[in-house]
């Protein structure tokens, strides 16, 4: 039984997802808008004009990630302001996902890379090249220990924990060195 039909986009809806509290629906469309809808009434609550291939709420619902052409936007759901822009992909970003603790975003792009970003610093901390084929989907496991991806090459799983362990060890080693503020940011110490 159809409960509600939400209309308003002027072109193909690329994706639509519930907010974690299931009160709102976030959508992205080929009409170059992202929108938030009231899930009970279908009323449009907010819209932003921009190219968006994929959108998703953070697990807490306080942030939205937007996969755009060559960049990733992070938007605060309360203020609706862009709080960070992650740049580095060379072609369209197809998919993004938050880690469970909301410290990282993983992204997949037509440039045949999977990248992991530190949300607080907006710095790319890992780049995984895919030698052939497309990457259509990427996400963290529920405990954020693994990264899963799929595309024309099949399904791949990477162990993410050793990388975090290595980052933490490097941070510990660098704590005792006199570093400039730029170096401290580069090595995730501030």
């Amino acid at each position: 039984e159809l409960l509600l039909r939400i209309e308003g986009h002027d072109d193909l809806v690329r994706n639509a997802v519930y907010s974690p509290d299931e009160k709102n629906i976030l959508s992205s469309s080929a009409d170059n808008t992202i929108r938030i809808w009231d899930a009970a009434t279908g009323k449009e609550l907010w819209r932003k004009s921009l190219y968006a291939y994929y959108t998703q709420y953070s697990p807490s619902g306080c942030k939205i990630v937007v996969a755009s052409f060559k960049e990733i936007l992070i938007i605060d759901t309360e203020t609706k302001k862009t709080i960070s822009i992650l740049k580095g992909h060379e072609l369209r970003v197809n998919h993004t996902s938050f880690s469970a603790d909301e410290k990282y975003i993983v992204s997949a792009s037509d440039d045949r890379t999977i990248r992991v970003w530190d949300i607080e610093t907006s710095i790319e901390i890992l780049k995984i090249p895919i030698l052939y084929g497309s990457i259509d989907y990427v996400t963290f496991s529920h405990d954020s220990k693994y990264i899963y991806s799929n595309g024309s090459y099949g399904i791949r799983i990477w162990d993410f924990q050793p990388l975090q362990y290595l980052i933490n060890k490097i941070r510990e080693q660098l704590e005792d060195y006199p570093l400039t503020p730029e170096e401290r940011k580069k090595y995730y110490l501030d």
Side-chain angles (χ1 to χ4, degrees), residues 72 86-89 104-109 111-119 121-130 138-140 144-148 157-167 186 188:
I72 300 156
L86 310 176
K87 296 183 178 185
H89 282 295
Y104 306 103
I105 286 177
V106 63
S107 59
S109 169
D111 67 8
R112 289 196 252 163
T113 63
I114 293 170
R115 300 177 193 226
V116 177
W117 310 83
D118 181 287
I119 293 174
T121 63
S122 300
I123 294 175
E124 175 189 309
I125 61 169
L126 176 64
K127 180 178 176 181
I128 303 170
I130 303 297
V138 66
T139 191
F140 286 100
S144 299
K145 290 182 180 179
Y146 307 100
I147 296 170
Y148 301 96
I157 302 171
W158 287 273
D159 193 350
F160 185 61
Q161 275 313 98
L163 173 67
Q164 186 57 49
Y165 175 79
L166 180 61
I167 290 169
K186 178 180 176 183
Y188 310 103

Side-chain angles (χ1 to χ4, degrees), residues 32-50:
N32 291 329
T33 65
I34 60 172
R35 302 180 194 208
I36 295 177
W37 313 85
D38 182 293
T41 66
K43 179 182 176 190
E44 182 180 312
L45 302 174
W46 175 78
R47 111 175 33 186
K48 183 173 181 74
S49 295
L50 66 115

Side-chain angles (χ1 to χ4, degrees), residues 5-175:
R5 177 174 295 189
I6 297 176
E7 296 180 349
H9 281 295
D10 298 324
D11 206 335
L12 170 78
V13 176
R14 291 192 173 114
N15 86 301
V17 294
Y18 271 104
S19 59
D21 64 8
E22 297 186 355
K23 291 181 180 178
N24 297 321
I25 295 173
L26 171 66
S27 62
S28 63
S29 169
D31 68 6
N32 291 329
T33 65
I34 60 172
R35 302 180 194 208
I36 295 177
W37 313 85
D38 182 293
T41 66
K43 179 182 176 190
E44 182 180 312
L45 302 174
W46 175 78
R47 111 175 33 186
K48 183 173 181 74
S49 295
L50 66 115
Y51 176 87
Y53 196 74
Y54 180 81
T55 55
Q56 180 190 37
Y57 280 99
S58 64
S60 68
C62 65
K63 296 180 187 86
I64 294 169
V65 64
V66 180
S68 190
F69 183 60
K70 293 182 182 181
E71 57 194 23
I72 300 156
L73 285 74
I74 303 171
I75 298 172
D76 182 287
T77 55
E78 187 175 323
T79 65
K80 307 299 188 279
K81 295 188 188 263
T82 300
I83 55 176
S84 186
I85 300 175
L86 310 176
K87 296 183 178 185
H89 282 295
E90 297 170 15
L91 294 171
R92 182 184 73 194
V93 181
N94 296 324
H95 199 270
T96 56
S97 184
F98 284 93
S99 61
D101 60 9
E102 298 185 26
K103 290 183 179 180
Y104 306 103
I105 286 177
V106 63
S107 59
S109 169
D110 281 345
D111 67 8
R112 289 196 252 163
T113 63
I114 293 170
R115 300 177 193 226
V116 177
W117 310 83
D118 181 287
I119 293 174
E120 188 177 328
T121 63
S122 300
I123 294 175
E124 175 189 309
I125 61 169
L126 176 64
K127 180 178 176 181
I128 303 170
I130 303 297
L131 299 179
Y132 64 91
S134 64
I135 312 165
D136 302 316
Y137 179 84
V138 66
T139 191
F140 286 100
S141 59
H142 293 292
D143 59 6
S144 299
K145 290 182 180 179
Y146 307 100
I147 296 170
Y148 301 96
S149 70
N150 68 271
S152 62
Y153 57 82
I155 300 169
R156 297 286 194 301
I157 302 171
W158 287 273
D159 193 350
F160 185 61
Q161 275 313 98
L163 173 67
Q164 186 57 49
Y165 175 79
L166 180 61
I167 290 169
N168 291 340
K169 279 298 196 192
I170 291 170
R171 284 180 179 166
E172 288 172 17
Q173 292 171 358
L174 292 175
E175 280 292 337

